[in-house]
Amino acid sequence: MHKRYLGSRILKALVFLSAGITLTILLLLIGYILIQGVPHLSASLFSLEFTTDNQSVIPALINTVIMTAVSLLVAVPVGIFSAIFLVEYSGKGNRFVDLVRMTTETLQGIPSIIYGLFGMLFLVYRLKLDYSILSGALTLAIMILPLIMRTTEEALKSVPDLYREGSFGLGAGKLRTVFRIVLPSAAPGILAGIILAIGRIVGETAALIYTAGTMAKVPSSLLGSGRTLAIHMYLLSTEALYLPQAYATAVVLLVLVIGINAFSNFIARKLTKGNI
Amino acid sequence: MKWSQTIESVMKYVFLVAAVFSIAAVILICFFLFASGIPAIREIGVVKFLFGTTWAPSNNKYGILPMIVGSLYITAGAILFGVPIGILTSVFMTFYCPKKIYRPLKSATELLAGIPSVVYGFFGMIVLVPAVYRFEKIMDISGKGNSIFTASLLLGIMILPSIIGVCESALRAVPQSYYEGSLGLGATKERTIFKVILPAASSGVLAGVVLGIGRAIGETMAVVMIAGNQPRIPTSIFKGVRTMTANIVIEMGYATDLHRESLIATGVVLFVFILLINASVAALKRKQGEHA
């Protein structure tokens, strides 16, 4: 009898220990980078012009914003439209729907280096877009597509059928119902997904290094090469010369990602509160 | 009236075209990877490429066995570190977590998933590598801290959120009656969780583990930054190693001709691994669905 309780107690201790470890790792990681990195933040790190001396993050930051905007411009409409098709326009147990779902699941499991290879082969060489923001953004658009599709699908499904029936009852067509009733009600869920996708884009390296290239300046057009903040961070940390700048850049990147995550969480929570 | 009907049907096709997009993407990715990689494999020879132990492009030797082995070792190590902690954390979150802590802990795991791999890699470089180096010194093992062990540790951390997420939903999908029934028969809470709930959720939990395997084998930047990247079959876990992903990133920048194609072929091998892993996740999830 006592032995059994002892076993239970050990298991319980292990469970608590593991949860503790998970939380500690996160705090250690964030804490260490912030504490070590914040003292290295300097004005020259944020100067508008990049030089080999200052290793400014500003051009990379601007590139990241452009990259994010272009990828979203492609992925968001396609993702939302396909989710609309899956939820609003096709019945259950549809062969086509199953196929789309299978492919999005496949896309979701593909590691970013494979996307990078594909982007390089298809966009950079075959379509001759060269190492450019556009090549990078289109590669990322495919990468975040499944994320946007899935979150939109879930958001659309959570809109009660009552809304749709009410809208039809008032004489609205299907399209009007979708755009005027269903989409607005699902907006917070969709937005939370989009913000999550932004987080993915901001942190991405492997898919960009051979599609967007590593130029340290803001290119004059979308067809020019430019490094994002994450690539900048990678290049800095692999060169022993710029360790202080690498610390500081890690802080910028980490704060950015934590902020994006918190914002997504905030919106998602607003959604659940609003519905209940 | 007519006009609006036209728009209705036109838009339906617009939505359909959007939905076809992801199918097209998968087909394009498969086509371009295989079409660019397979000729190289054929030229080098399947056996020489997959089982050759020497990677020396300048001497025309393209054996990627060291990289395949490297990926497998690091993945196995990551599973060893990440899976127990991940599963037990998900048990905590499902059965033990006070309501007040749940939200912060859940956000913490989501944040862990959101941290970019370069930041993980940097953390590994400045914290884990020196720590492992010191450990090696104490234990009198030769090494520089860049090793299978270090990379496994870091990847174990990186796959935690995927494992926790999937396991938690699998545990929550087990009917409440199982839990109550076992408690009613006099089992302790722990015995109930580990002997009744976990076995009932096993395919879901396994799906989480396999998902973690997929993440670990596909991880690139963090591994490049800390694994040492020597293209040879390692003799101990404190030796540096190069993964398939690292091989692509490190050499693609300057590779030409057959060398370049052989790197793409490395990507093809990785892709095949990933497709197999994906298929098993899907199968396991379907199984879990049948049970619940």
Side-chain angles (χ1 to χ4, degrees):
Chain A
M1 193 69 185
H2 270 295
K3 229 178 204 169
R4 222 176 67 190
Y5 283 125
L6 183 68
S8 292
R9 219 168 281 165
I10 292 173
L11 280 176
K12 189 173 176 179
L14 283 177
V15 167
F16 276 74
L17 182 72
S18 296
I21 290 176
T22 304
L23 201 60
T24 313
I25 288 171
L26 179 73
L27 295 178
L28 187 74
L29 198 147
I30 294 174
Y32 193 88
I33 286 178
L34 287 186
I35 291 168
Q36 294 284 313
V38 167
H40 292 296
L41 289 173
S42 62
S44 70
L45 195 73
F46 296 98
S47 50
L48 287 176
E49 280 295 314
F50 176 94
T51 63
T52 42
D53 284 329
N54 66 20
Q55 295 289 330
S56 167
V57 296
I58 294 299
L61 212 53
I62 296 172
N63 284 337
T64 310
V65 172
I66 300 171
M67 185 77 75
T68 308
V70 179
S71 328
L72 290 182
L73 214 62
V74 178
V76 168
V78 175
I80 291 181
F81 280 8
S82 50
I84 289 176
F85 185 81
L86 293 183
V87 178
E88 308 290 334
Y89 283 86
S90 39
K92 279 191 184 111
N94 187 321
R95 263 282 186 55
F96 178 73
V97 174
D98 288 343
L99 186 65
V100 173
R101 203 148 289 154
M102 202 186 78
T103 52
T104 45
E105 268 172 27
T106 308
L107 283 178
Q108 224 162 9
I110 295 178
S112 44
I113 181 73
I114 299 285
Y115 282 109
L117 273 184
F118 166 70
M120 187 190 82
L121 292 170
F122 180 55
L123 300 166
V124 176
Y125 291 122
R126 184 58 63 92
L127 298 185
K128 300 203 164 51
L129 293 177
D130 229 333
Y131 285 162
S132 64
I133 298 272
L134 189 63
S135 301
L138 292 177
T139 308
L140 290 186
I142 301 172
M143 201 179 89
I144 60 168
L145 184 66
L147 180 65
I148 290 177
M149 273 176 77
R150 213 198 53 223
T151 45
T152 307
E153 250 192 277
E154 264 155 38
L156 291 177
K157 275 183 190 158
S158 71
V159 175
D161 272 339
L162 218 63
Y163 287 24
R164 297 183 181 88
E165 284 152 15
S167 172
F168 292 144
L170 289 170
K174 182 124 193 171
L175 203 61
R176 204 184 166 89
T177 305
V178 168
F179 277 103
R180 287 293 173 85
I181 307 293
V182 181
L183 270 184
S185 325
I190 298 173
L191 201 60
I194 293 174
I195 295 166
L196 226 52
I198 295 176
R200 286 278 298 276
I201 295 172
V202 169
E204 187 50 55
T205 328
L208 286 178
I209 205 156
Y210 295 117
T211 53
T214 54
M215 284 294 280
K217 305 225 158 87
V218 180
S220 53
S221 81
L222 289 181
L223 290 171
S225 160
R227 60 165 79 154
T228 63
L229 195 59
I231 295 186
H232 184 60
M233 165 84 223
Y234 170 68
L235 295 171
L236 280 181
S237 58
T238 46
E239 285 177 56
L241 268 172
Y242 300 114
L243 207 59
Q245 286 93 334
Y247 271 107
T249 310
V251 172
V252 177
L253 195 54
L254 196 59
V255 168
L256 208 60
V257 167
I258 293 175
I260 290 168
N261 249 281
F263 191 46
S264 169
N265 257 332
F266 170 75
I267 287 175
R269 203 166 320 158
K270 239 189 168 174
L271 163 83
T272 45
K273 261 188 197 153
N275 266 9
I276 294 168
Chain B
M1 198 61 193
K2 269 275 157 62
W3 176 232
S4 71
Q5 267 169 359
T6 321
I7 291 191
E8 287 274 351
S9 52
V10 166
M11 279 312 280
K12 188 179 169 175
Y13 284 104
V14 170
F15 294 146
L16 175 70
V17 168
V20 171
F21 216 86
S22 64
I23 303 176
V26 170
I27 293 173
L28 273 178
I29 290 173
C30 289
F31 173 75
F32 272 92
L33 271 182
F34 287 115
S36 324
I38 287 179
I41 300 181
R42 208 174 279 156
E43 197 175 328
I44 298 162
V46 180
V47 177
K48 266 192 181 165
F49 181 67
L50 289 178
F51 300 105
T53 52
T54 319
W55 174 265
S58 48
N59 292 335
N60 234 358
K61 290 205 163 130
Y62 300 99
I64 62 161
L65 188 65
M67 277 68 104
I68 296 178
V69 170
S71 286
L72 294 181
Y73 275 173
I74 287 187
T75 304
I79 294 303
L80 225 57
F81 287 122
V83 164
I85 296 180
I87 292 180
L88 291 177
T89 302
S90 66
V91 166
F92 177 82
M93 291 178 71
T94 319
F95 297 104
Y96 290 97
C97 196
K99 266 216 170 97
K100 267 192 185 156
I101 311 181
Y102 182 78
R103 208 45 246 176
L105 194 60
K106 185 83 185 161
S107 309
T109 59
E110 280 164 7
L111 187 57
L112 218 43
I115 292 176
S117 33
V118 267
V119 174
Y120 275 111
F122 187 62
F123 177 75
M125 263 174 66
I126 57 175
V127 177
L128 293 182
V129 171
V132 172
Y133 180 61
R134 224 165 295 147
F135 177 75
E136 286 170 346
K137 272 272 169 80
I138 294 167
M139 303 298 283
D140 207 22
I141 307 166
S142 69
K144 292 201 179 93
N146 295 301
S147 65
I148 297 179
F149 181 76
T150 324
S152 301
L153 211 59
L154 187 69
L155 278 183
I157 297 172
M158 292 179 72
I159 62 173
L160 273 180
S162 353
I163 295 179
I164 294 173
V166 176
C167 284
E168 195 196 338
S169 48
L171 289 175
R172 287 195 190 280
V174 175
Q176 186 74 20
S177 56
Y178 285 32
Y179 184 70
E180 286 158 3
S182 172
L183 282 188
L185 287 170
T188 60
K189 182 171 176 176
E190 288 73 29
R191 209 179 157 77
T192 303
I193 293 168
F194 286 91
K195 293 271 167 147
V196 178
I197 309 281
L198 267 177
S202 61
S203 26
V205 172
L206 207 58
V209 173
V210 180
L211 192 72
I213 294 177
R215 284 282 138 79
I217 208 168
E219 179 50 49
T220 314
M221 298 331 259
V223 173
V224 170
M225 289 161 85
I226 61 165
N229 303 322
Q230 293 88 336
R232 48 144 204 250
I233 292 179
T235 47
S236 106
I237 59 164
F238 290 102
K239 286 273 195 296
V241 77
R242 182 186 286 193
T243 61
M244 291 186 271
T245 53
N247 198 33
I248 300 167
V249 164
I250 293 167
E251 299 193 358
M252 190 57 93
Y254 58 85
T256 50
D257 304 329
L258 184 62
H259 183 195
R260 199 179 78 98
E261 281 167 39
S262 72
L263 294 177
I264 296 166
T266 311
V268 170
V269 175
L270 174 69
F271 191 53
V272 170
F273 270 99
I274 292 290
L275 289 180
L276 291 176
I277 290 167
N278 270 349
S280 25
V281 172
L284 284 166
K285 277 197 175 151
R286 219 170 302 132
K287 211 170 160 197
Q288 169 79 9
E290 279 165 19
H291 276 291

